[in-house]
Amino acid sequence: MKLGKFLLEENLVTQEQLDKALKDQEVHGGRLGTNLMKLGYITEKQLISILSKQYNVPGVDLSTMDIEDGILKLIPSNIATKYELIPLSRIGKTLTVAMVNPDDIFALEDIKFSTGFEVQPVVTTEISIRNALEKFYEGQDLLQRVEKEMEAVEEEVEVVEAGDKEADEDEMSDLAAEIGSGPIVKLVNTIITKGVEAGASDIHIEPYDKELRVRFRIDGILREVMKPPKKMHKAVVSRIKIMAKMKIAEKRLPQDGRIKVRIKRKPIDFRVASMPTIYGEKMALRILDRSAISFNLEDLGFEKEQLDKFLQAIRMPFGIVLVTGPTGCGKTTTLYAALEKINSLEVNITTAEDPVEYSLVGINQVQMREMVGLTFASALRSYLRQDPNIIMVGEIRDKETAEISIRASLTGHLVLSTVHTNTAAATITRLVNMGVEPFLLASTLDLVLSERLLRKICLNCMEKVQISNDYLKRVGLNPDEFDGVTFHKGAGCPVCNGSGYKGRIGIFEVMTVTPGVRELILERVSTDRIHVEAVKEGMRTLRDVAVEKLKKGSTTIEEVLKETTIK
């Protein structure tokens, strides 16, 4: 009896639901049971029970099962994938195998011939088999693909100034051969190359109880790209540590390092950070690809009047200009673009950074090293004796750094820096809470820039979409503002990996410290009061600017709501 009839007789689905699943099967392919599960009409447990009755064999749920390596080796990966099956156990001359189709005579005969065992089939779902194949066989498949498809990777990825593993080889002798083996080197090179090719900003290698996960952050969103076998975790981490000049024997403490490579003759830096977790060390690699980032202020997404205000502030002979926002919103890129704009032979620019992400020609960049006492505060004191015109401080984190920055601005220097706050107005409150006196802040602060990044709609698959006035009201937008506006979204295509988005654009909130704002700073008023005054004097909020991008068709309403709030 066919599966659909079984399900109807058991009253697990209606005829309407069955017809819908059959239509989906015609369009998307796959098995009927899988489509019913995807539509939410039946559970996996119900499907296994019905399949067991249909084929008259026991049903199993593979998600909770651990299978010995010796059993898995009885059936090669290519045969398991071809016939959609997993070996479970062996008793004597009988091998129990979980299958999607236990009636597949060719599969049963092929296994019997290749293993020499009698085969006892049990049934499970297509999704269960696929997950099990990924869990138990993905490592072998991955290494085969790496060997087959990435033969050129070792030539394409040239490590510049790799670390020395000799120092740790006594303690790591068992691992040393594995670290330097072809598959491990190729796997790490593949991960690095694929991350750069995908336009990722970060690569995450994350160990869990029974799996190892690799994810790329593309346009601000993390996406899983592969699951190497967990047993490769230590070797992969050690290989990356060697490349980054980190201590491979140190697993209990976080470490930082840097990798310099050439991929297809293009130089690319990676900032590497390790973190001990309960399942092993997690590795995060920040990709620093100069060619993928524009340090041109005009390309970052400023509205014209905002750019004019920002340019006026960074061309002042002295004062403080702050860039604010959460981690990963583009603050450093904005500061680098500002330095590129004002850099010339007539000015001396010195930076204090942790870490130095990109090398800028004509600018004195200094890497902070807290372990030897080189902090933002100590560096700033030294800079004042170096005759600088402009000082860039990576981040104002404490009262000491803030006060020295203010002192530098009072003695005729322009200071650029970042602070972690959510809005431009909140930056004032944050600095006062650090212990900075309001009268010093009011006399030195010229401009505060708050920013976010919105994902841009993929131009290759952009399509029109209808948004109702009721929905606009529900999310806090005025429908009258959008009369005649055509909304768009990305349908999803190979160019954008099905996400509908490709690239990001900045939105900015530029708060000029006007006499009115200075008065409020001296009065120690709340963030809301400062925000209201700044808006009254012409500041456009992040939400306002994001709505403009939405009207121009650059982004979607979902991105506007995700990255901005009504204030």
Side-chain angles (χ1 to χ4, degrees), residues 49-61:
S49 176
I50 289 297
L51 290 172
S52 177
K53 290 179 182 179
Q54 182 187 11
Y55 289 108
N56 197 28
V57 296
V60 293
D61 180 1

Side-chain angles (χ1 to χ4, degrees), residues 106-132:
F106 295 105
L108 296 171
E109 288 298 321
D110 200 346
I111 298 166
K112 184 177 179 180
F113 177 77
S114 61
T115 64
F117 295 116
E118 294 296 326
V119 181
Q120 174 64 52
V122 295
V123 71
T124 190
T125 65
E126 183 181 28
I127 290 175
S128 188
I129 281 284
R130 285 180 181 174
N131 289 338

